[in-house]
Every structure is written in structure tokens, then in C-alpha cells.
């Protein structure tokens, strides 16, 4: 009986270590993507003109801000729906927001805020680090048993 629990604990430890490394790597990759995006984009002011309510992957309701801005390069209004969606939204219709956009393709844009740029990468990295630490702790505990 104890031998079976020991094996399960070791297996859980290995699973947490490998899963933690994978999530940490994904978080770091997304952080790199965010840095690249911010390094190659211009900034301008925009306005939240709508909140588009959608069902997320897990069936939960998400509000995605729809933003309108006018890039100085073209002088023509552009609207985009942010990839970031959460309910309740930290944004409301009429909010002034800073927009990061690609001057060569203004439709490639997003709200330049913590919520839209940094939340997912940082959560992935933090959760990955926590899983890795829990796995290492579990393996150390089973080592001494």
C-alpha cells in the first residue's frame, strides 16, 4: 500500500516538474512576443466604442473591448476587437486607451495596458514556476521516504 502511494507521489512530482517547465517556457515565450510587439509598434490614443460579449473556450462569458483609433500615417479610422476578454471587463465604453499598432498594418493593434499585453504571459510564467516548485518539493519529500 505504501509502495503504491510512493509511486503516485513520485509520478505527481515528475508531472508537476515537467508541466511547470512547459508553462514557464510558454509564459517566457509570450513575454518575448509582447516585448517584440511593443518594440515594433507605434502608439496613439483610441477610444473603447463597444464591448463585444462572447463565450470563451470554457463557456464563460468574456467582454472584448472594441477600440477605434486614427493612425496619423493614414488619417483613417480603424476599429479592432482586443484579443483580451474577461468578465467583468476592466474597460467601459467611452474609455480613452493607448493603442499600440503596426504602422504598416494598423489593423494589427491592441490596447497597450497590463491587462491586454502582460496578464496572460505573467500568469503562465508564475503558475509554471509554482508547479515546478511544487514538483521539486514533492520529489524531495518522496526521496526522504
Amino acid at each position: 500500500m505504501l509502495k503504491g502511494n510512493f509511486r503516485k507521489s513520485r509520478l505527481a512530482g515528475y508531472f508537476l516538474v515537467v508541466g511547470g517547465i512547459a508553462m514557464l517556457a510558454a509564459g517566457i515565450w509570450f513575454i518575448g512576443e509582447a516585448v517584440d510587439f511593443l518594440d515594433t509598434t507605434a502608439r496613439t490614443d483610441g477610444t473603447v466604442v463597444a464591448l463585444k460579449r462572447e463565450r470563451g473556450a470554457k463557456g464563460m462569458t468574456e467582454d472584448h473591448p472594441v477600440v477605434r483609433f486614427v493612425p496619423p500615417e493614414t488619417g483613417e479610422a480603424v476599429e479592432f476587437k482586443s484579443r483580451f476578454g474577461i468578465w467583468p471587463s476592466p474597460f467601459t465604453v467611452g474609455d480613452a486607451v493607448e493603442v499600440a499598432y503596426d504602422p504598416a498594418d494598423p489593423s494589427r493593434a491592441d490596447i497597450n495596458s497590463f491587462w491586454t499585453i502582460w496578464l496572460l504571459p505573467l500568469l503562465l510564467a508564475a503558475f509554471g514556476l509554482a508547479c515546478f516548485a511544487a514538483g521539486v518539493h514533492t520529489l524531495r519529500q518522496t526521496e526522504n521516504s
Side-chain angles (χ1 to χ4, degrees):
M1 180 85 159
L2 283 176
K3 198 170 193 176
N5 286 340
F6 175 79
R7 285 186 184 149
K8 287 179 185 175
S9 294
R10 293 289 291 176
L11 185 60
Y14 288 125
F15 179 77
L16 285 168
V17 166
V18 171
I21 290 170
M23 282 186 281
L24 183 58
I28 290 169
W29 185 80
F30 280 119
I31 288 169
E33 289 289 307
V35 168
D36 286 346
F37 176 73
L38 292 174
D39 282 348
T40 60
T41 54
R43 309 290 185 282
T44 193
D45 295 327
T47 304
V48 176
V49 295
L51 293 174
K52 185 172 183 183
R53 183 155 290 168
E54 296 179 354
R55 291 260 179 226
K58 302 280 186 193
M60 297 178 67
T61 300
E62 300 175 346
D63 286 338
H64 292 262
V66 177
V67 176
R68 181 179 297 137
F69 71 102
V70 179
E73 296 84 2
T74 65
E76 296 178 21
V78 175
E79 271 189 24
F80 69 91
K81 179 186 78 163
S82 178
R83 296 173 300 176
F84 173 78
I86 192 170
W87 187 87
S89 177
F91 302 101
T92 58
V93 174
D95 281 354
V97 293
E98 183 178 59
V99 175
Y101 70 97
D102 182 346
D105 180 9
S107 66
R108 187 175 165 257
D110 213 337
I111 299 169
N112 187 20
S113 76
F114 173 80
W115 294 101
T116 58
I117 304 291
W118 300 109
L119 183 64
L120 176 64
L122 292 176
L123 281 177
L124 266 174
F127 193 65
L129 191 58
C131 286
F132 177 79
V136 168
H137 176 74
T138 299
L139 291 173
R140 284 189 177 160
Q141 291 294 346
T142 58
E143 202 173 80
N144 297 330
S145 297

